[in-house]
Amino acid sequence: MPDGIPAQLFVIRPTCTKKIPREISLRLVSELKSLAEEKDPAFFLKNLHGFDNPPLYSLRIGRYRAVMSVLDDVMIIHVIEIGHRSSVYRRF
């Protein structure tokens, strides 16, 4: 992230939140807001192996996971998929 400038935007695909409980989606938004304020949001995420361009990360929210990419040059957090930990990684 360029010189400590916080991420200014996070994007969630609309189809991602339809299949998760409301409580989890509210926690997700809260976590994303706190990530957006960090100098390096990728530091707080788990790096997914095998994805280098762009690198994908995982955010743990209870039994659910959010798979996302962090675009440092334009400071965007893009949530690609949200689902139960037993099935969310099968799509990748």
Side-chain angles (χ1 to χ4, degrees), residues 35-89:
L35 273 178
E37 295 172 358
E38 294 295 334
K39 295 178 184 179
D40 184 14
F43 178 77
F44 299 95
L45 303 171
K46 179 183 175 188
N47 190 6
L48 295 181
H49 299 285
F51 300 97
D52 295 329
N53 194 12
L56 295 181
Y57 301 95
S58 175
L59 174 65
R60 180 175 169 239
I61 306 147
R63 293 184 177 169
Y64 288 80
R65 303 294 183 266
V67 177
M68 62 188 69
S69 63
V70 178
L71 306 173
D72 288 336
D73 54 343
V74 288
M75 294 175 283
I76 295 176
I77 299 171
H78 180 223
V79 178
I80 298 168
E81 189 66 48
I82 304 167
H84 193 272
R85 67 184 181 157
S86 65
S87 62
V88 73
Y89 300 115

Side-chain angles (χ1 to χ4, degrees), residues 7 10 27-38 77:
F10 59 89
R27 284 179 57 191
L28 172 70
V29 170
S30 173
E31 290 288 332
L32 288 175
K33 284 181 181 178
S34 65
L35 273 178
E37 295 172 358
E38 294 295 334
I77 299 171

